[in-house]
Amino acid sequence: ATYFLRAIASTGMVVAALEHTDGTASNTILPSGRPFSFAPSLLSGAAQLRRRADEILATPGNLPAEFDIDPSRVFFGGHSFGAPAAVLAAGRVMGLGDGGGVKVA
């Protein structure tokens, strides 16, 4: 995913690479400062997607104030399991609920 993100950033786009707290990251530091290690069975696949979509949508509010984000120019993208999470988040933004017709079981 690093090459993919670097290629997008090279076009002048701001890229935010998230460490998800759904148990799939090798090591994450939670907002409390507590480390959280790899625990892939922490949540079901559907719950992981929902958590990831929540985290994607919370990202703009967690960026430094000097990032002036135009909401009409936001691109959601993802690699591997991040792709359906991005679709789910985009569907919510578009008012289509959880994924705009993408079934999350």
Side-chain angles (χ1 to χ4, degrees):
T2 302
Y3 177 79
F4 172 63
L5 297 175
R6 199 174 324 159
I8 292 171
S10 73
T11 68
M13 306 243 344
V14 175
V15 174
L18 309 182
E19 279 189 29
H20 295 288
T21 60
D22 62 0
T24 58
S26 58
N27 191 37
T28 299
I29 304 298
L30 298 174
S32 67
R34 182 176 66 87
F36 182 69
S37 296
F38 184 64
S41 60
L42 176 69
L43 301 170
S44 71
Q48 286 176 335
L49 284 176
R50 288 186 185 100
R51 165 95 49 98
R52 286 172 172 231
D54 292 344
E55 291 169 342
I56 290 168
L57 293 174
T59 299
N62 292 317
L63 294 175
E66 60 265 17
F67 285 99
D68 185 22
I69 300 199
D70 177 354
S72 70
R73 300 193 52 159
V74 171
F75 165 82
F76 291 122
H79 173 264
S80 190
F81 203 53
V87 169
L88 187 64
R92 289 178 182 176
V93 168
M94 299 295 293
L96 302 174
D98 272 353
V102 175
K103 184 176 179 179
V104 178

